[in-house]
Amino acid sequence: MPVRLLNTASRSIEEFAPLDPEGRRVKMYTCGPTVYNYAHIGNFRAYIFEDLLQRHLEARGYEVDRVMNLTDVDDKTISGCRHHGVPLADYTQTFKTAFFEDIKTLRIKPASHYPAATAPEYIARMIEMIQGLEAADIAYKAEDGSLYFRISRFPRYGQLAHLNLDELRPSGRISSDEYEKEAVGDFALWKAWTPGDGDVWWESPWGRGRPGWHIECSAMATALLGPQLDIHCGGVDNIFPHHEAEIAQSECFTGKHFSRYWLHCAHLMVEGQKMSKSLGNFYTLRDLLAKGYTGREIRYVLLSVHYRLPLNFTIAGLDAARTALGRIDAWVERLQTLASGCAPAQQEGAAQAKEGFLQALDDDLNISAALGNLFDWIRESNRAMDSGGVSPAEAAGTLAEFQVLNSILEMDAESTTVPAAVLALVEERQAARAAKNWAQSDTLRDAIAEAGWQVKDTKQGAQLTRL
Ligand code: AMP
Ligand code: ZN
């Protein structure tokens, strides 16, 4: 059975086949972070869904060439650097560095390329594309000195988002990067410099200015992957106007169909409400790590709900992830002990269980069914080991099949290295105990527990275990 995916463009499930005549190489573009702040776990939901898609395609034998851009110039990054009074590049560097640390923590497979919009070769490509659109009279310069895309010249504008432009009566021009569907209109490709931009500008055939957000992705995608992509992904909030604009710009410039499949993940909610800064229910990855949860546990939560369903993020969900992972760890440890380095024997049941998992993912990444299969397999395998019916070679065979699933899940147990911050608390607590300051010692015990570790006082000294 081929992989089947829900294509936002057709709103139907379609069989996946790449453009590559040999049917192997897949060109995938994923909209990356706007580096004006630490990425929040909603952003990471999108990146983990894309990671699942890439890893599953690879498990099915495809070679995925994935690009994820870094939006390091747009309305938000400019307003952030101006507010803090630092150069744009310095301001965005902090969040770029944090982003790469965070994807490592979440075990997200690195993309093949991470182009940054401000790199000279991509600014040049944006200008080249806008010039091409201007020559075709699709882009025009307005009184404000900025260049706009004439949406009336692209009749398919609105098709991805299923908008009826006649009903919406498009009118006027929009200069901001983000806007609602009701405000549909000619959008900015190149924004003429204004005092609010400070020292953020590039020279262009139209004078000093900077690119609009949408042209950045069209330029980076086509520069690195060519005029035609297999898959383009993002969160549902990207469908309009961002992806709609990307299609219009790219197709008018290259004359080719831009992307065959469009996939979008639903939003992440927190405790039943939309995650937002104003509601105060806003988590970065760092917030959750500080509460003692691990990258693996957060990865599990973000991965375990089907990408098209809203994910209700709760702390209870993280605790449930810890329990689920504990079951996987205990099973793997038991198999490892039994196998004790034995060569794997072919295991019919394990091969079937693995195939059941992969087939569930073939069905538009049905992760709930896939994990359901995995836990059924764990239960049956534990039962067989309870009754002594599993040989060391069979245990090794089971582990080998599990490794195929784990190349997608990436759920190996965390190394039990104790974080330096926890070790410092333990030392402080030892000092408090030596000084018979029991209240202080208890407070520190609680702080250690808060960070996810239990401290026990033994004759050999303090011993730490993961909570
Ligand atoms: P941004 O940095 O806002 O450009 O977003 C980067 C990526 O994260 C895009 O693909 C967004 O669609 C996605 N995204 C933003 N917020 C959420 C959310 N709450 N849930 C899921 N994905 C999101
Ligand atoms: Zn984009």
Side-chain angles (χ1 to χ4, degrees), residues 70 110 145 165 182 372 385 419:
L70 304 172
L165 290 200
E182 291 65 36
M385 283 191 276

Side-chain angles (χ1 to χ4, degrees), residues 88-163:
L88 178 70
D90 294 355
Y91 181 70
T92 56
Q93 188 55 51
T94 307
F95 305 114
K96 286 182 189 174
T97 306
F99 168 74
F100 287 112
E101 280 169 17
D102 288 355
I103 55 170
K104 205 164 159 203
T105 303
L106 288 171
R107 305 175 179 197
I108 292 173
K109 187 167 186 167
S112 332
H113 312 270
Y114 287 103
T118 58
E121 65 268 38
Y122 300 122
I123 295 281
R125 171 79 178 164
M126 293 167 211
I127 291 174
E128 181 198 343
M129 289 184 82
I130 301 169
Q131 279 183 305
L133 295 173
E134 193 182 23
D137 195 34
I138 294 168
Y140 63 94
K141 191 169 180 176
E143 309 79 61
D144 64 357
S146 298
L147 273 283
Y148 288 87
F149 185 99
R150 209 187 290 283
I151 59 169
S152 60
R153 288 292 309 278
F154 187 65
R156 290 196 303 286
Y157 190 81
Q159 220 169 63
L160 182 74
H162 289 215
L163 296 185

Side-chain angles (χ1 to χ4, degrees), residues 5-53:
L5 301 168
L6 187 116
N7 189 350
T8 306
S10 65
R11 299 287 197 277
S12 61
I13 300 275
E14 295 179 23
E15 286 188 1
F16 176 72
L19 290 162
D20 175 19
E22 287 170 23
R24 258 162 47 101
R25 299 195 48 209
V26 175
K27 294 178 179 191
M28 179 167 161
Y29 186 86
T30 48
C31 288
T34 304
V35 280
Y36 75 111
N37 208 330
Y38 293 101
H40 56 65
I41 54 166
N43 299 129
F44 288 117
R45 177 185 202 196
Y47 308 146
I48 282 194
F49 132 67
E50 293 153 358
D51 184 55
L52 176 65
L53 176 60

Side-chain angles (χ1 to χ4, degrees), residues 29-32 69 71 213-214 216-218 220 232-234 238 242-243 246 262:
Y29 186 86
T30 48
C31 288
N69 72 294
T71 302
W213 172 38
H214 316 305
E216 295 179 11
C217 279
S218 289
M220 290 184 272
H232 195 312
C233 303
N238 284 156
H242 186 51
H243 289 166
E246 273 190 52
W262 288 87

